Amino acid sequence: MAKQLNPNDVLLEVKDLKKHFVSRHGLFGQHTTRVQAVDGVSFKILRGETLGLVGESGCGKSTTGRTIIRLYDVTSGEVIFDGVDISKVSQGEMRQYRKKIQMIFQDPYASLNSRMTVGDIIGEPIDIHNIAKGEERQKIIWNLLERVGLSKEHANRYPHEFSGGQRQRIGIARALAVNPDFIICDEPISALDVSIQAQVVNMLEDLQKELGLTYLFIAHDLSMVKHISDRIGVMYLGKLVELANSDELYDNPNHPYSQALLSAIPIPDPDATKHGQRIVLEGDVPSPINPPSGCRFRTRCKYVMDVCKEVEPEFIEISPNHFSACHLNTVNK
Amino acid sequence: MADKLLEVKNLKTSFFTHVGEVQAVRGVSFDLGVGEALGIVGESGSGKSVTSMSLMKLLQYPGVIKEGQILFEGTDVVPKTEKEMRKIRGNDIAMIFQDPMTSLNPVYTIGNQIIEAILEHQNVTKQQARQKAIKMLELVGIPSPESRIDNYPHEFSGGMRQRAMIAIALSCEPKLLIADEPTTALDVTIQAQILELMRELKEKINTSIILITHDLGVVADLCSRIIVMYGGLIMEEGTAEQVFYTPKHPYTMGLLKSIPKVNKKEKERLIPIDGTPPDLVKPPTGCPFYARCEYAMKICKEQVPPYFGVAPGHRSMCWRLHEDAPAHEDFIKESNRGGTHG
Amino acid sequence: MSEQTINKALWENIPKENKDAEVISRPSMTYWQDAWRRLKKNKLSMLGLLFIFFMVMTAIIGPYVISHDYSTQQLQLANIPPKIDIYKVDDATYIYMHSEYKLFNVTADGLLSDKIKETENDLTNRKRVYNIDGNEVVLDYSYASKKVEENPDGVKFKLFMNGEEMKVYDSVHNKSYVLGTDGLGRDMLARVIYGARISLLIAFIATVVNFFIGVLYGGVSGYFGGRVDNLMMRIVDIINVIPLLLYVILLSVIIGSGLKSIIIALGSVYWVSMARIVRGQVLSLKEQEYVLAARTLGASSMRIMIRHLIPNAMGPIIVSMTMLIPSAIFTEAFLSFIGLGVNAPLASWGTLANDALGGLRSYPYQLFYPSLAISVTMLAFNFLGDGLRDALDPRLRK
């Protein structure tokens, strides 16, 4: 089921995106700490494509998603959606883009307001954008509920009466209510049970086929990301360290961090684990307040060289459509 | 399996809430040998965590063990008082929890918490306990334990805290370690570290382990025997190979089918298990899985199936295994799928 | 393994559609229904709620039902306690002897009628003579000034009828004035009920004002955060350090003491605690994913505030409101007590307590009833607040 993508039809381009969180301390806010959550990330997403973004907590993958949709203000860089740089437009102008870009959240328990009925939750985007009123609104809500495998009787119930998977589908219905082109899926399945995850992933795939949606799929579960994504970007401490087609990334991971991340996936196969070679990384992710100089992964990398400490590796194309930021690629050549 | 350390017989645990009795565990029996690592796999609401809390008798109100026996080294712990249980907890049975952020007390140092656990159960001086604590921290791979012992939990990262939790749990050399989703809250690379550590420890010290998780990958990694739970009942039990390569229950098959295969080249559609788990206030009269089962028959709705032994040490609760049951091609195919080999 | 033979029909497959895998079996219950269910289980809270309901109803309806007016003065009938000692003159005639040496006609079950006029007042011998139904009743109050040796029992007076000493016939409840009368002969019951009106009114108005200011202020502060929040919270700190008493005195000077200034004083000071609670709630709630979701949908700040933040912060807001009412009642009582409260003839529980101070040793009941009303009402609100806190706590929701 290979998708036909037009390599010139770029829906979203992110150029050197930075998001730093600055917090002030002291009586007059004279002291500042700067958390470099996202520090120079660039990628393109083609129309109809699914780009996966993986990394561990604190790597900035969720911040990237939230900055694209302008939940956070951009520190620097560009976010070009359909030819327009939306990183600097006002929140008022942003409103029209909110119909085109939507988001699905991680926690199906926290992402639905428990004081509203499911009908009102799904109806909220319809009200905000004055899409429909009265009976027509009702009809849209019922259609959306059915589209995500629930029935119209569920519209009058409250979120806490649903299971995690059902809630996540309600969240998807809410995102679909404005007919978006692009959906940012922020760890949409990591809080769900295994048997439910597949339901949601299949639903996302079906919706993509039917509606021609484009996804940015953020997750830490690499096996699911591999399954759903056309291309995958690996993030570490605010940087994109590798970007490649999903099969290519799994077969030939270039960056030492990607290699470790891939080998760490627990495989549900007793034999595979017994014979598998696992790269166990030492230590923890350093703090994004004070990231290591040069290559940010050098503190945990077993191939670390002198150059890694001084020079930040460039994000270069090592083979067609396969990008990586590691000094090993340049030193050896 | 030489000696049985733990034997659970027909355990039933319920929560008496305002909506009615939530029958979280509805008759679970299994046993555990000395030095064995048993994995209990199930989704949320399957009763796996309630089972483990019942073993420790740490059920929160309104949870009650309604029926059954929990024989630990031959003696039943169900009738034991809270005071007697306190001697067993930590000393004979220890537990590590899912969230290393909240399971350590933030106002005491890591060392304090290990020393306290040692002093509680062992007749040693404070100095000896401290030495032991340092040794434990070293054992779980915390660098420079002599200085880190005086750190507070917030100075430790998530992975380090889970290591510290394991150190506390193992400090009194328990005979049984219950690990309730020990890696779920951790990142993949840290999860790999903890799993590696647990595997090492299993070989170093002869502790029995019950690992409770929803992640099939994690059990495959660590456990020799696996119990699959659903709707408060054990659906299938067998060795890791049996469960992964020749699953005999539609639920196990469904679980295995619904996870993507990383090592597969061509993209194939995932096969989800439709529907949602049953509401245990009104558990189904028959098999709890029948509503989501693709092989369901009329009998599945009406009667809870008995266990059918399919191989030594391998049992499954499914009517399809009954000798009179009509053969179902897909069922047979699935049960010989060979796990992820396929 | 049970190997009984099984009916062949049971081996039939069930098609997928008939299995109802997505049906929700539990009844639908909103947050408020669930909270009410849990509140109902708390006996003390329900008792408190019942009492508050009773108090509010009494304050509203009470003045129309009882026969006495709160402001009508009957100086002759001043300071009559709720329990009175009566003497029997004959079968149809009973008299009540007031501690101020006044005699009243009274019925056997305690209904007061009128004061009896003395026929002779012998000031030198400290004697008063009355003529009741042809009987000569003499009140000798010279005992009060006699020396201890002559009056070992400490009797203050003696009543003689036709020369014979009268004994207390019975101690009965005052039927005319159930809670007695105050120093100006006003019915205490009417005044306590009327006081409830004023006290509860002040408390409710102050609370409602606090609710609106506090929610708005705290909501804005928490929602916008950062510098706005910092500035707004420093203002709160400043307001918080001005003593309430100073504030009220200044207000009384400017707009005169009375109902208005108390309400303004309470309304302008107490909202700070509400603002802090709302701010804290909003700060934590605004990071919730459903608020982020609303923002990605393009919802305005106003909409997020009204539809998402405030409804979810309502639990703690209501709890702090119920806890605010008793402290408003108490503050009002305190201010009235020290004379900064409502003006006569309006009565609040505080002014009633203050009025009773002068005659405290002789007529303690005048202090007792208003104080009782204050305490029990405060207790009721506290019980209710405690119960609400438990009932509305989302962590206890199962």
Side-chain angles (χ1 to χ4, degrees):
Chain A
M1 53 172 244
K3 275 184 261 180
Q4 292 301 310
L5 298 172
N6 176 1
N8 297 320
D9 191 3
V10 177
L11 181 68
L12 180 88
E13 183 174 3
V14 175
K15 280 189 189 163
D16 200 26
L17 183 72
K18 287 187 183 172
K19 174 64 202 170
H20 295 181
F21 292 99
V22 180
S23 57
R24 296 178 184 282
H25 317 273
L27 194 56
F28 305 105
Q30 68 274 49
H31 308 294
T32 55
T33 40
R34 186 173 275 267
V35 178
Q36 305 175 14
V38 178
D39 200 31
V41 164
S42 307
F43 56 81
K44 286 179 192 173
I45 305 179
L46 303 179
R47 195 180 294 277
E49 189 186 27
T50 302
L51 178 73
L53 213 49
V54 293
E56 297 175 276
S57 49
C59 72
K61 56 187 192 302
S62 284
T63 310
T64 305
R66 290 179 177 188
T67 311
I68 290 171
I69 202 169
R70 289 287 302 277
L71 275 175
Y72 302 142
D73 281 328
V74 179
T75 306
S76 75
E78 287 172 54
V79 178
I80 298 158
F81 180 79
D82 231 353
V84 185
D85 182 4
I86 56 168
S87 67
K88 285 160 196 89
V89 301
S90 71
Q91 286 292 343
E93 286 171 83
M94 188 64 203
R95 246 175 87 97
Q96 54 173 312
Y97 292 102
R98 299 215 182 278
K99 277 205 264 184
K100 300 202 174 134
I101 308 177
Q102 266 304 308
M103 192 155 182
I104 300 167
F105 292 87
Q106 171 175 12
D107 187 347
Y109 293 86
S111 60
L112 308 177
N113 185 348
S114 58
R115 303 288 192 279
M116 285 161 82
T117 62
V118 165
D120 281 339
I121 289 170
I122 298 174
E124 183 162 34
I126 301 173
D127 300 340
I128 290 172
H129 294 285
N130 289 322
I131 293 169
K133 281 209 163 63
E135 226 166 276
E136 208 190 323
R137 172 181 183 268
Q138 193 70 269
K139 227 184 237 164
I140 296 176
I141 292 171
W142 287 348
N143 277 339
L144 286 166
L145 275 172
E146 268 158 33
R147 168 149 249 159
V148 296
L150 296 166
S151 65
K152 57 184 180 186
E153 286 81 38
H154 290 132
N156 293 324
R157 291 193 166 256
Y158 286 87
H160 69 260
E161 298 167 47
F162 293 86
S163 68
Q166 289 172 323
R167 285 173 187 233
Q168 200 56 290
R169 285 186 269 154
I170 295 167
I172 293 173
R174 171 174 60 188
L176 291 177
V178 289
N179 280 323
D181 296 330
F182 178 52
I183 297 184
I184 298 170
C185 308
D186 188 1
E187 309 225 16
I189 50 164
S190 40
L192 301 177
D193 277 319
V194 187
S195 73
I196 307 296
Q197 287 185 352
Q199 286 179 12
V200 172
V201 165
N202 278 355
M203 179 165 291
L204 288 172
E205 282 180 341
D206 292 346
L207 290 170
Q208 180 167 52
K209 233 183 287 167
E210 277 174 55
L211 307 170
L213 296 170
T214 306
Y215 293 137
L216 176 65
F217 194 92
I218 299 163
H220 65 262
D221 178 341
L222 292 107
S223 44
M224 248 343 156
V225 173
K226 151 109 197 300
H227 175 84
I228 195 169
S229 307
D230 301 302
R231 284 187 303 142
I232 295 174
V234 181
M235 282 188 77
Y236 186 78
L237 217 55
K239 295 266 185 198
L240 204 54
V241 296
E242 190 163 2
L243 180 67
N245 284 334
S246 30
D247 289 334
E248 168 76 6
L249 181 77
Y250 276 78
D251 295 338
N252 303 307
N254 176 272
H255 199 279
Y257 178 65
S258 310
Q259 292 166 2
L261 204 58
L262 281 172
S263 79
I265 308 174
I267 300 166
D269 184 340
D271 277 352
T273 30
K274 268 163 209 156
H275 308 304
Q277 282 291 316
R278 177 176 285 168
I279 308 165
V280 176
L281 286 179
E282 296 288 316
D284 294 298
V285 184
S287 155
I289 296 172
N290 212 344
S293 62
C295 174
R296 295 192 171 184
F297 184 60
R298 68 176 166 83
T299 51
R300 298 169 80 193
C301 182
K302 60 176 173 181
Y303 307 112
V304 65
M305 302 172 290
D306 292 339
V307 65
C308 301
K309 193 171 180 178
E310 279 137 36
V311 186
E312 197 181 316
E314 261 180 86
F315 196 58
I316 51 165
E317 192 163 9
I318 51 163
S319 62
N321 283 322
H322 189 162
F323 298 83
S324 174
C326 181
H327 284 302
L328 287 173
N329 295 319
T330 40
V331 168
N332 290 351
K333 272 168 199 169
Chain B
M1 225 197 305
D3 299 314
K4 277 180 189 168
L5 179 74
L6 181 77
E7 240 187 307
V8 177
K9 287 181 181 167
N10 197 27
L11 178 72
K12 289 184 182 172
T13 304
S14 286
F15 290 83
F16 291 87
T17 66
H18 69 275
V19 284
E21 179 190 348
V22 180
Q23 301 173 32
V25 177
R26 304 194 289 140
V28 160
S29 309
F30 64 91
D31 44 36
L32 178 73
V34 174
E36 194 185 14
L38 172 72
I40 302 183
V41 189
E43 300 174 272
S44 45
S46 64
K48 60 186 193 303
S49 282
V50 178
T51 304
S52 71
M53 289 309 231
S54 304
L55 297 183
M56 289 287 266
K57 288 192 67 184
L58 277 175
L59 289 168
Q60 302 278 317
Y61 174 84
V64 175
I65 298 179
K66 262 183 22 179
E67 226 182 287
Q69 284 179 307
I70 300 167
L71 301 174
F72 184 76
E73 294 186 309
T75 44
D76 192 1
V77 300
V78 175
K80 281 204 189 323
T81 62
E82 181 59 27
K83 208 175 157 193
E84 291 170 309
M85 277 316 291
R86 239 174 279 152
K87 268 187 214 141
I88 295 175
R89 283 183 211 136
N91 203 21
D92 291 329
I93 310 177
M95 194 157 180
I96 37 180
F97 297 94
Q98 176 175 352
D99 192 354
M101 301 294 157
T102 56
S103 44
L104 284 166
N105 188 337
V107 300
Y108 295 108
T109 62
I110 299 284
N112 252 330
Q113 300 184 51
I114 307 178
I115 292 167
E116 192 195 12
I118 297 171
L119 290 176
E120 179 83 15
H121 295 289
Q122 290 178 5
N123 201 8
V124 291
T125 65
K126 240 185 167 160
Q127 207 45 51
Q128 287 170 312
R130 194 182 158 85
Q131 286 312 314
K132 173 116 200 232
I134 291 172
K135 238 170 64 196
M136 290 314 299
L137 286 177
E138 203 177 351
L139 181 73
V140 297
I142 287 180
S144 52
E146 299 84 2
S147 58
R148 302 296 314 233
I149 189 168
D150 294 318
N151 283 18
Y152 285 90
H154 69 88
E155 296 170 273
F156 273 37
S157 66
M160 299 261 275
R161 281 185 227 192
Q162 198 58 296
R163 283 168 192 268
M165 274 307 296
I166 295 173
I168 294 174
L170 295 179
S171 61
C172 292
E173 287 140 26
K175 291 166 187 143
L176 171 60
L177 177 68
I178 302 175
D180 191 353
E181 306 261 10
T183 58
T184 309
L186 303 174
D187 276 317
V188 205
T189 59
I190 310 296
Q191 167 172 293
Q193 291 174 4
I194 297 291
L195 289 178
E196 200 64 38
L197 170 70
M198 286 182 68
R199 208 196 332 268
E200 271 173 41
L201 291 175
K202 202 178 76 180
E203 276 152 33
K204 265 190 222 166
I205 44 181
N206 198 26
T207 299
S208 304
I209 296 175
I210 295 181
L211 177 74
I212 290 152
T213 179
H214 68 274
D215 192 330
L216 289 164
V218 172
V219 273
D221 216 357
L222 206 65
C223 301
S224 49
R225 210 151 53 87
I226 292 170
I227 284 175
V228 181
M229 280 189 77
Y230 186 81
L233 290 170
I234 294 177
M235 295 285 106
E236 184 168 4
E237 179 185 352
T239 63
E241 284 77 13
Q242 285 167 338
V243 171
F244 278 103
Y245 301 145
T246 58
K248 285 287 181 287
H249 196 282
Y251 177 60
T252 319
M253 297 170 189
L255 278 184
L256 289 169
K257 270 190 289 185
S258 65
I259 38 180
K261 323 282 175 292
V262 179
N263 37 11
K264 262 208 179 151
K265 198 95 216 162
E266 73 276 19
K267 229 174 170 182
E268 60 178 36
R269 200 176 155 76
L270 297 176
I271 305 158
I273 308 177
D274 285 327
T276 43
D279 186 346
L280 292 176
V281 175
K282 279 182 250 162
T285 39
C287 171
F289 187 61
Y290 94 89
R292 301 172 71 189
C293 179
E294 52 185 313
Y295 313 112
M297 300 172 289
K298 277 188 176 163
I299 188 166
C300 304
K301 190 176 180 177
E302 282 164 25
Q303 288 178 44
V304 179
Y307 287 107
F308 295 95
V310 285
H314 191 182
R315 60 176 174 148
S316 167
M317 178 190 266
C318 179
W319 281 117
R320 283 280 174 196
L321 299 169
H322 192 280
E323 52 189 8
D324 295 341
H328 195 300
E329 248 177 67
D330 289 345
F331 183 86
I332 295 164
K333 210 171 89 195
E334 280 300 325
S335 67
N336 293 315
R337 63 203 294 272
T340 45
H341 286 334
Chain C
M1 236 185 278
S2 68
E3 285 298 335
Q4 82 269 38
T5 43
I6 282 150
N7 187 350
K8 271 222 172 100
L10 287 174
W11 292 123
E12 251 173 69
N13 288 352
I14 320 180
K16 254 208 157 120
E17 306 80 75
N18 302 349
K19 290 187 284 194
D20 305 333
E22 298 267 8
V23 164
I24 299 173
S25 56
R26 296 191 192 187
S28 179
M29 214 184 223
T30 67
Y31 175 78
W32 298 110
Q33 285 169 331
D34 195 41
W36 172 238
R37 178 190 61 74
R38 253 178 297 122
L39 185 67
K40 272 196 290 192
K41 278 198 197 149
N42 190 330
K43 297 238 163 53
L44 275 181
S45 298
M46 288 316 282
L47 202 72
L49 188 65
L50 213 68
F51 180 81
I52 292 163
F53 180 73
F54 166 77
M55 205 68 200
V56 170
M57 289 322 279
T58 316
I60 294 169
I61 305 169
Y64 303 108
V65 174
I66 58 165
S67 46
H68 298 281
D69 180 48
Y70 77 97
S71 59
T72 311
Q73 303 181 4
Q74 281 182 285
L75 289 172
Q76 293 185 332
L77 298 173
N79 294 328
I80 295 171
K83 195 132 193 186
I84 52 180
D85 292 340
I86 58 170
Y87 299 86
K88 188 178 180 179
V89 178
D90 60 44
D91 280 346
T93 316
Y94 298 86
I95 53 170
Y96 159 60
M97 164 64 212
H98 188 260
S99 55
E100 282 166 14
Y101 309 137
K102 291 180 281 192
L103 289 193
F104 296 91
N105 274 319
V106 70
T107 60
D109 52 358
L111 212 56
L112 281 165
S113 45
D114 55 343
K115 192 185 167 194
I116 307 163
K117 192 88 185 118
E118 66 266 26
T119 46
E120 195 189 328
N121 195 352
D122 184 350
L123 285 172
T124 40
N125 289 322
R126 296 171 179 256
K127 268 185 194 162
R128 283 178 191 162
V129 182
Y130 300 85
N131 188 342
I132 299 162
D133 293 353
N135 300 305
E136 189 199 48
V137 176
V138 177
L139 168 66
D140 184 349
Y141 59 96
S142 59
Y143 293 87
S145 53
K146 279 185 179 159
K147 286 191 183 118
V148 185
E149 305 86 71
E150 293 168 45
N151 184 14
D153 300 336
V155 186
K156 286 195 170 148
F157 64 89
K158 274 186 180 158
L159 265 180
F160 299 93
M161 183 167 69
N162 302 331
E164 201 176 312
E165 192 183 338
M166 290 176 92
K167 292 283 172 225
V168 175
Y169 171 73
D170 198 2
S171 188
V172 295
H173 288 287
N174 185 342
K175 278 268 168 62
S176 305
Y177 302 98
V178 177
L179 299 183
T181 58
D182 71 353
L184 295 172
R186 292 173 292 199
D187 181 26
M188 280 300 288
L189 180 65
R191 289 185 70 73
V192 168
I193 290 174
Y194 203 83
R197 250 188 187 193
I198 302 288
S199 289
L200 291 178
L201 187 72
I202 289 172
F204 280 121
I205 292 178
T207 308
V208 169
V209 169
N210 287 332
F211 170 75
F212 282 108
I213 303 179
V215 167
L216 194 71
Y217 195 95
V220 168
S221 179
Y223 185 76
F224 291 103
R227 281 168 187 222
V228 178
D229 177 46
N230 217 334
L231 185 73
M232 288 178 86
M233 280 301 121
R234 294 300 80 76
I235 294 172
V236 160
D237 289 342
I238 292 167
I239 292 172
N240 219 16
V241 295
I242 301 174
L244 183 65
L245 203 55
L246 187 70
Y247 210 72
V248 182
I249 294 170
L250 287 176
L251 272 175
S252 321
V253 171
I254 297 164
I255 52 175
S257 75
L259 203 58
K260 221 181 353 176
S261 68
I262 287 202
I263 289 176
I264 292 174
L266 291 181
S268 55
V269 169
Y270 272 6
W271 61 268
V272 295
S273 64
M274 180 67 81
R276 282 196 174 136
I277 287 164
V278 176
R279 170 186 173 263
Q281 284 290 316
V282 169
L283 271 182
S284 68
L285 288 175
K286 75 171 180 179
E287 294 300 323
Q288 293 277 310
E289 285 185 344
Y290 60 81
V291 178
L292 295 181
R295 283 173 60 196
T296 63
L297 292 170
S300 61
S301 298
M302 195 65 175
R303 189 188 171 89
I304 289 174
M305 200 76 135
I306 290 169
R307 299 224 54 176
H308 297 286
L309 295 175
I310 293 173
N312 280 285
M314 219 49 205
I317 291 175
I318 286 180
V319 171
S320 74
M321 265 168 69
T322 23
M323 292 304 200
L324 205 82
I325 292 175
S327 71
I329 291 175
F330 191 78
T331 310
E332 181 279 327
F334 166 69
L335 290 174
S336 296
F337 185 77
I338 59 168
L340 291 171
V342 293
N343 298 323
L346 285 182
S348 78
W349 289 335
T351 51
L352 289 181
N354 185 25
D355 292 347
L357 268 193
L360 181 61
R361 293 183 65 179
S362 316
Y363 316 110
Y365 67 91
Q366 291 179 357
L367 182 62
F368 179 74
Y369 291 106
S371 317
L372 185 74
I374 295 172
S375 331
V376 176
T377 308
M378 282 180 64
L379 206 61
F381 274 108
N382 277 313
F383 281 156
L384 180 66
D386 261 352
L388 279 174
R389 186 191 317 245
D390 293 347
L392 295 173
D393 191 341
R395 276 168 300 179
L396 294 171
R397 210 176 142 89
K398 280 219 181 90

